[in-house]
């Protein structure tokens, strides 16, 4: 595939050098006749033609085209004038292509649209005028002997050394130009094949057109915008071409494997190389699907192309992708039409029983004569209904429901229905109720004849076609109804506009676009639907392409806005940047004053009812804005003066620089702070602290320390009360002090019980008692209150135990 790409590139440079950068295409002048561009002429050739043939050609100093002289028009006068002019130029030896390559063969300059000839000129002079030249090339090849019809070799011709152009170069088997007296490329190809290679007419019956190859190049002879018609011709092994007119020196049979190397050689004619390359590309991607009978004749299936290596399949896939990208020409069918490269392979590949040996899509087309094999549809009277080509039923033929066959009869007719008198059915098939006396005996109230429905033979799809039998003329009623409705809407809208109502200017069912809606500041309504088209010119660079870094300025694809500067952080100033962001444009220059005036126009329209338009009358709007600002300042000053006269405080507003500059300096600061009415700091120098909705520094169960802040005797506890019981209520210092001895009691039993309880308490407290004693000495008042409360609680406990 890489070799094919290199070959295609080299041929493209040789045959399309006028399309390469640096070519003289931009300097060439068009040949314009009767307003039609027919050719392309180099500037030096145009100057020579106008200087030596002023009666035929005209080229002014300020003109950018070569035209005919004034008064010269018509096919025959122009052709005769050009023949005389180029004959004289040949005699004078001005152009070497006329002196060495005169052919005595006329070429026609035709319009591209209608193919109508405008004039005819000598073939060797066609390149001087740059008119399109058409030619025919035939790829003659031989097929394999195993019956697979697979091309294996191609016949090539070496041009005679006496040829005026490309002498001694390799060429196609048959090639020639299309003269002006021949309009059929196929007939011209058959004529050239018989003259140059001696191919009999019987073999030429299998000549297949496969498409065209076009190219555009220039050399010292002029400009060549040429088109070559390509044909394929399969030749038997027993046939050998013979030169008849002497234009060919020899014929060579070259294997297809050696053909790419020959095409790349400098002695191969370039345009013929393009035709051969087109043949190889078409052959490379087509897999002939042969029937099993042909495969059974040869056990070597690989020779028939049934198996291919991975490399061959890879090349085929690359070629298919190149065709989809339009890098190489598309395949041609047997009629020379392009085959869409995007068609899947399973659709393009013909089944084996079809026996396709070339690329084709005919197996996907319904044969034209298939409907002729079916029995034609007939009416009840035996009339044959003409079949529609390619369909299952004649066009516009359907069952007519409830339609009478003709006028109603006045008398009973023999053979008609005895009940109703209609001639299209009998009494047993009559749908009317049985009469007491039928029409046969009364001769009255004869029913009209019914339309006999045709015996339509519909296929599967036609029976299920919901549009079969639909009359498009019936849709005219729908169109008329909508037209009447729209006309009524227009009348209502016009009546509202005449009444002067604002509602008459608004449309109910249509969006108001930016070019139709009222301008801002004029009848502005925020409830009105607006669809403003936000489009950019295609030549402008999109905003998001200025900086592709995702972390750069954000681009909103919905509004197409980029507020930030995409060149921020680069060595590009804001003034030099092609785009500095929407915010820079929005807040620079007169943008802010214009926005203020626009808002002022909206406020005037909404509050005062004044119709002030920024675009229609900007001077009036600016004067109103300035006048309103001056009045606002004047009124504000009067209000301030009245407040000061009523409440005083003028001395606090006056600058204190002259009276007490040191106090003024202390009171002034650059730090801004804003407080609420309650004194809470809202914003300013000191940011307000974030407060939680939960109370801070407050522990559960009245504790002032957390669990685990105290350790004693292998147990954790609270440091505030030294309690080792989790989730116990904190008693503060009370939990740290031992219980005091109980007071004197009346009963000895209670005293004994109190002494036992005090002894047990002293034993349990241990070291806690010593610490409590020290605390008692430091705070005697607290220990007294604590001991008294402890004693009272002890007495209560003792009394409770006595009562029990």
């Amino acid at each position: 595939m890489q070799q094919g790409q290199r070959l295609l590139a080299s041929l493209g440079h040789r045959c399309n050098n006028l399309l390469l950068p640096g070519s003289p295409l931009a300097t060439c002048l068009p040949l314009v006749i009767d307003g039609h561009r027919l050719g392309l002429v180099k500037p030096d050739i145009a100057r020579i033609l106008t200087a030596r043939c002023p009666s035929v050609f005209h080229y002014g100093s300020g003109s950018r085209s070569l035209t005919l002289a004034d008064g010269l028009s018509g096919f025959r006068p122009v052709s005769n004038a050009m023949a005389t002019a180029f004959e004289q130029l040949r005699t004078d030896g001005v152009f070497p292509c006329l002196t060495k390559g005169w052919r005595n063969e006329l070429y026609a300059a035709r319009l591209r649209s209608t193919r109508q000839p405008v004039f005819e000129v000598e073939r060797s002079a066609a390149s001087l005028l740059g008119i399109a030249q058409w030619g025919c090339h035939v790829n003659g090849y031989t097929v394999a002997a195993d019956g697979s019809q697979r091309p294996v070799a191609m016949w090539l011709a070496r041009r005679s050394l006496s040829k005026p152009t490309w002498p001694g170069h390799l060429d196609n088997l048959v090639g020639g130009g299309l003269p002006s007296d021949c309009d059929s490329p196929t007939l011209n190809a058959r004529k050239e094949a018989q003259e140059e290679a001696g191919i009999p007419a019987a073999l030429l019956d299998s000549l297949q057109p496969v498409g065209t190859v076009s190219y555009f190049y220039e050399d010292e002879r002029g400009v060549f915008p040429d088109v070559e018609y390509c044909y394929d011709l399969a030749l038997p092994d027993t046939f050998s071409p013979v030169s008849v007119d002497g234009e060919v020196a020899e014929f060579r049979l070259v294997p297809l494997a050696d053909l790419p190397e020959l095409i790349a050689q400098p002695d191969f004619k370039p345009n013929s190389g393009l035709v051969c390359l087109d043949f190889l590309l078409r052959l490379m991607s087509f897999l002939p699907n042969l029937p099993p009978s042909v495969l059974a004749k040869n056990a070597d299936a690989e020779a028939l192309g049934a198996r291919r290596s991975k490399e061959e399949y890879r090349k085929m896939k690359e070629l298919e992708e190149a065709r989809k990208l339009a890098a190489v020409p598309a395949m041609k069918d047997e009629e020379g039409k392009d085959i869409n490269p995007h068609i899947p392979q399973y659709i393009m590949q013909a089944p084996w029983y079809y026996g396709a040996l070339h690329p084709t899509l005919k197996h996907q087309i319904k044969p034209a004569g298939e409907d002729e094999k079916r029995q034609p549809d007939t009416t009840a009277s035996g009339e044959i209904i003409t079949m529609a080509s390619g369909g299952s039923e004649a066009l516009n033929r359907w069952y007519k429901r409830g339609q009478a066959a003709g006028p109603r009869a006045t008398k009973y007719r023999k053979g008609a229905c005895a009940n109703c008198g209609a001639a299209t059915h009998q009494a047993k098939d009559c749908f009317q109720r049985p009469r007491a006396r039928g029409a046969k005996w009364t001769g009255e109230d004869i029913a009209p004849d019914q339309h006999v429905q045709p015996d339509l033979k519909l296929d599967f799809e036609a029976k299920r076609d919901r549009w079969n039998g639909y009359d498009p003329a019936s849709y005219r009623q729908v169109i008329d109804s909508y037209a009447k409705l729209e006309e009524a809407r227009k009348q209502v809208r016009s009546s509202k506009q005449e009444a002067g109502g604002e509602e008459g200017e608004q449309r109910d069912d249509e969006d108001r676009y930016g070019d139709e809606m009222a301008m801002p500041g004029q009848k502005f309504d925020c409830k009105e639907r607006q669809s403003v088209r936000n489009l950019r010119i295609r030549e402008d660079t999109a905003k998001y392409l200025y900086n592709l870094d995702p972390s750069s300025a954000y681009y909103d694809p919905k509004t197409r806005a980029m507020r930030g500067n995409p060149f921020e952080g680069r060595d590009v100033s804001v003034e030099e940047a092609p785009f500095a962001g929407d915010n820079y444009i929005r807040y620079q220059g007169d943008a802010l004053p214009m926005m203020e005036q626009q808002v002022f126009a909206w406020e005037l329209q909404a509050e005062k009812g004044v119709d002030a338009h920024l675009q229609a009358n900007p001077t009036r709007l600016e004067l109103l804005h300035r006048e309103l600002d001056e009045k606002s300042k004047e009124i504000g000053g009067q209000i301030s003066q009245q407040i000061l006269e009523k409440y005083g405080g003028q001395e606090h507003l006056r600058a204190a620089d002259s009276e007490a500059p040191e106090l003024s300096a202390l009171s002034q600061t650059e730090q801004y702070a804003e407080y609420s009415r309650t004194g809470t700091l809202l914003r300013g120098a000191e940011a307000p602290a974030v407060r939680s909705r939960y109370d801070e520094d407050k522990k559960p169960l009245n504790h002032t320390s957390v669990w685990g802040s105290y350790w004693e005797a292998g147990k954790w506890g609270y440091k505030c009360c030294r309690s080792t019981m989790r989730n116990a209520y904190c008693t503060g210092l009370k939990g740290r002090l031992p219980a005091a001895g109980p007071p004197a009691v009346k009963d000895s039993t209670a005293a004994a019980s109190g002494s036992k309880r005090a002894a047990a308490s002293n034993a349990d407290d241990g070291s806690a008692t010593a610490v409590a004693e020290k605390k008692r000495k430091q705070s005697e008042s607290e220990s007294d209150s604590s001991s008294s409360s402890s004693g009272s609680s002890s007495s209560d406990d003792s009394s409770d135990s006595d009562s029990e």
Side-chain angles (χ1 to χ4, degrees):
M1 188 63 186
Q2 295 180 355
Q3 180 184 1
Q5 292 178 351
R6 290 194 299 268
L7 178 60
L8 184 62
S10 63
L11 287 176
H13 281 75
R14 295 170 62 186
C15 297
N16 287 301
N17 58 2
L18 199 57
L19 302 179
L20 298 177
S23 65
L25 178 62
T27 60
C28 294
L29 303 175
L31 175 63
V32 180
I33 298 178
D34 295 335
H36 299 285
R37 178 174 173 175
L38 298 177
L40 203 63
V41 186
K42 290 183 177 182
D44 53 347
I45 297 178
R47 285 190 292 267
I48 295 174
L49 291 178
T50 53
R52 290 183 167 270
C53 307
S55 61
V56 180
F57 300 102
H58 172 73
Y59 169 52
S61 58
S63 176
R64 285 295 303 163
S65 62
L66 181 66
T67 59
L68 295 178
D70 297 338
L72 185 60
S73 62
F75 175 79
R76 186 50 55 192
V78 174
S79 301
N80 294 337
M82 286 193 177
T84 304
F86 285 112
E87 182 69 32
Q88 185 64 35
L89 292 173
R90 175 198 176 191
T91 304
D92 297 341
V94 178
F95 297 109
C97 61
L98 298 180
T99 306
K100 299 179 181 180
W102 194 269
R103 303 288 190 90
N104 289 323
E105 186 177 351
L106 296 179
Y107 266 21
R110 303 175 183 270
L111 298 177
R112 293 185 179 271
S113 57
T114 60
R115 300 283 298 165
Q116 180 181 359
V118 180
F119 63 89
E120 58 184 8
V121 69
E122 162 63 26
R123 178 177 178 179
S124 59
S127 59
L128 297 175
L129 300 178
I131 63 176
Q133 305 181 37
W134 284 270
C136 303
H137 285 248
V138 178
N139 294 312
Y141 63 93
T142 59
V143 298
D146 50 18
S148 62
Q149 300 296 322
R150 179 170 53 89
V152 294
M154 176 178 286
W155 283 100
L156 298 179
R158 184 172 294 278
R159 298 169 65 89
S160 175
L161 296 177
S162 60
K163 295 282 289 183
T165 56
W166 308 103
H169 284 66
L170 288 175
D171 199 350
N172 290 108
L173 174 64
V174 176
L178 187 64
S180 61
D181 57 351
C182 182
D183 295 334
S184 175
T186 304
L187 294 179
N188 185 68
R190 295 174 65 94
K191 179 179 71 70
E192 293 289 344
Q194 294 177 357
E195 293 177 356
E196 295 182 3
I199 303 176
L203 295 179
L204 292 175
D205 292 339
S206 60
L207 190 67
Q208 294 289 335
V210 293
T212 60
V213 173
S214 60
Y215 48 90
F216 197 18
Y217 78 99
E218 61 88 20
D219 57 12
E220 67 279 357
R221 296 175 294 169
V223 179
F224 294 85
D226 293 355
V227 179
E228 305 293 345
Y229 292 94
C230 302
Y231 295 86
D232 287 352
L233 178 62
L235 298 173
D237 296 338
T238 58
F239 173 78
S240 295
V242 179
S243 178
V244 178
D245 55 3
E247 295 184 359
V248 178
E250 62 171 346
F251 291 97
R252 294 174 54 183
L253 185 62
V254 179
L256 294 183
D258 301 337
L259 187 59
E261 184 177 357
L262 287 177
I263 295 176
Q265 298 299 324
D267 63 340
F268 205 100
K269 191 180 177 186
N271 59 348
S272 302
L274 288 178
V275 177
C276 295
L277 183 60
D278 174 72
F279 177 81
L280 293 177
L281 292 177
R282 287 186 285 104
L283 180 66
M284 184 176 179
S285 59
F286 174 70
L287 291 176
N289 202 355
L290 302 176
S293 58
V294 177
L295 294 176
K297 293 180 181 179
N298 195 339
D300 189 7
E302 185 176 1
L304 296 178
R307 297 194 192 99
R308 293 200 174 194
S309 63
K310 292 183 178 180
E311 183 67 19
E312 291 175 339
Y313 273 109
R314 184 184 64 81
K315 292 181 179 180
M316 187 184 304
K317 293 297 181 183
E318 290 179 356
L319 182 60
E320 291 178 359
E321 294 298 329
R323 281 202 175 101
K324 292 179 181 179
L325 297 175
V328 296
M331 283 194 302
K332 308 286 185 179
D333 58 5
E334 62 275 1
E335 297 179 358
K337 299 179 181 179
D338 291 343
I339 297 178
N340 190 350
H342 298 279
I343 295 179
Q345 185 71 19
Y346 71 92
I347 295 179
M348 189 191 70
Q349 195 68 34
W352 61 268
Y353 51 82
Y354 193 80
L357 301 177
H358 298 279
T360 182
L361 288 178
K362 280 191 175 181
H363 58 280
Q364 297 290 344
I365 303 174
K366 187 177 182 180
E370 184 175 343
D371 290 332
E372 300 177 359
K373 301 177 183 178
R374 299 175 60 253
Q375 295 182 357
D377 298 334
T378 58
T379 61
S381 60
E383 179 185 357
I384 298 178
I385 301 175
T386 306
M387 301 292 294
S389 61
S392 63
E393 183 50 57
L395 294 176
N396 301 327
R397 298 288 298 190
W398 195 244
Y399 303 109
K400 297 180 180 180
R401 310 293 185 185
Q403 182 177 352
R408 180 179 298 191
T410 57
K411 295 190 300 181
Y412 179 78
R413 293 158 294 178
K414 185 178 180 180
C417 176
N419 185 41
C420 66
T424 53
H425 62 271
Q426 297 299 322
K428 62 178 181 178
D429 300 326
C430 185
F431 281 93
Q432 290 190 6
R433 64 175 180 82
R435 303 181 183 181
R437 295 186 64 189
K440 179 179 179 180
W441 295 276
T442 60
E444 299 176 355
D445 194 14
I446 304 297
D449 297 340
Q450 297 174 350
H451 180 78
V452 179
Q453 304 295 342
D455 185 14
L456 300 180
K457 297 179 176 60
L458 304 177
D459 57 6
F460 184 85
E461 290 81 5
K463 289 179 181 178
R464 290 156 180 81
D465 185 7
R466 61 188 296 266
W467 295 104
N468 200 350
Y470 174 74
D471 186 11
S474 62
Y475 192 73
R476 173 57 57 183
Q477 301 176 359
V478 181
I479 299 176
D480 294 340
S481 63
Y482 274 95
K484 292 179 181 178
L485 182 60
E486 184 64 24
E487 186 66 25
R489 287 180 179 176
K490 290 182 180 179
Q491 294 178 1
V492 173
R493 191 179 301 118
S494 61
S495 62
K496 288 184 179 180
Q497 290 179 355
E498 292 175 359
E502 188 175 344
E503 298 178 356
E505 299 181 1
Q506 297 182 0
R507 290 171 286 183
D508 299 333
D509 299 332
E510 299 180 4
D511 291 345
R512 303 195 66 179
Y513 290 93
D515 54 350
E516 299 177 359
M517 70 178 185
M519 296 298 294
Q522 182 180 7
K523 299 179 178 57
F524 179 76
D525 187 5
C526 61
K527 297 181 180 179
E528 183 181 358
R529 291 187 299 172
Q530 300 175 2
S531 299
V532 181
R533 298 168 180 170
N534 184 13
L535 301 178
R536 66 175 178 86
I537 303 175
R538 294 300 176 186
E539 288 77 8
D540 295 344
T541 304
K543 301 176 183 177
Y544 53 83
L545 294 179
Y546 285 119
N547 193 344
L548 300 180
D549 187 6
S551 61
S552 63
Y554 174 71
Y555 175 76
D556 186 10
K558 185 175 182 180
T559 60
R560 297 180 180 176
M562 179 179 285
R563 297 177 177 84
N565 184 6
F567 296 95
E568 186 176 0
R570 298 184 178 182
D571 296 337
V572 180
S573 62
V574 179
E575 292 77 11
E576 297 177 355
F579 176 74
D582 294 334
N583 289 342
Y584 177 77
I585 301 174
R586 191 173 301 166
Y587 300 109
Q588 291 293 326
D590 295 335
L592 285 177
M594 291 286 288
M595 291 174 61
E596 293 177 358
Q597 293 183 13
Q598 182 66 80
V599 174
F600 176 68
W602 290 342
E603 292 176 352
L604 283 180
Q605 175 66 29
E607 298 176 2
K608 307 295 182 180
V610 179
D611 190 5
H613 203 287
L614 177 61
Q615 282 78 19
N617 199 347
T619 305
R620 176 171 175 264
L621 184 65
E622 186 175 358
L623 292 175
L624 287 176
H625 191 197
R626 187 181 305 172
E627 182 181 355
L628 184 62
D629 285 344
E630 293 177 355
K631 288 184 178 181
S632 299
K633 292 179 182 179
E634 182 180 354
I635 294 174
Q638 294 177 0
I639 293 174
S640 300
Q641 187 66 25
Q642 293 176 2
I643 293 175
L644 291 175
E645 292 176 355
K646 183 176 182 179
Y647 298 100
Q650 183 71 25
E651 65 276 6
H652 300 291
L653 299 178
R654 190 181 301 112
D657 295 339
S658 59
E659 299 178 358
E662 65 279 358
L663 297 178
S664 176
L666 292 175
S667 62
Q668 294 177 1
T669 177
E670 295 182 356
Q671 295 182 353
Y672 173 79
E674 183 177 347
Y675 296 88
S676 65
R677 292 188 177 183
T678 59
T680 305
L681 182 65
L682 299 178
R683 68 175 68 90
E686 183 180 354
V690 180
R691 299 291 182 181
S692 174
R693 65 188 183 92
Y694 299 100
D695 295 335
E696 297 181 1
D697 299 332
K698 186 176 181 181
K699 308 298 186 299
L701 300 174
N702 202 28
H703 288 284
T704 59
S705 61
V706 296
W707 169 262
S709 59
Y710 177 71
W711 172 266
E712 185 181 359
K715 294 183 180 180
W716 293 102
Y718 297 97
K719 186 178 181 180
C720 54
C721 60
R722 298 188 180 181
S723 174
T724 58
M725 183 180 297
R726 185 79 180 268
N727 294 331
Y729 190 79
C730 181
T731 58
L733 295 175
K734 298 177 182 179
R736 298 184 182 185
L737 299 177
V745 294
K746 298 179 180 179
D747 195 9
S748 60
T749 308
S753 131
S755 62
K756 291 180 181 180
R757 200 173 289 130
S761 176
N762 292 333
D764 292 336
D765 288 339
S767 62
T769 306
V771 177
E773 288 296 334
K774 293 180 180 180
K775 294 292 183 178
R776 189 184 301 119
K777 293 179 181 180
Q778 294 177 0
S779 55
E780 190 172 352
S781 61
E782 293 182 1
S783 63
D784 291 339
S785 61
S786 300
S787 61
S788 63
S789 62
S790 176
S792 63
S793 62
S794 301
S795 63
D796 293 340
D797 294 340
S798 62
S799 63
D800 292 341
S801 62
D802 293 340
S803 63
E804 290 177 0

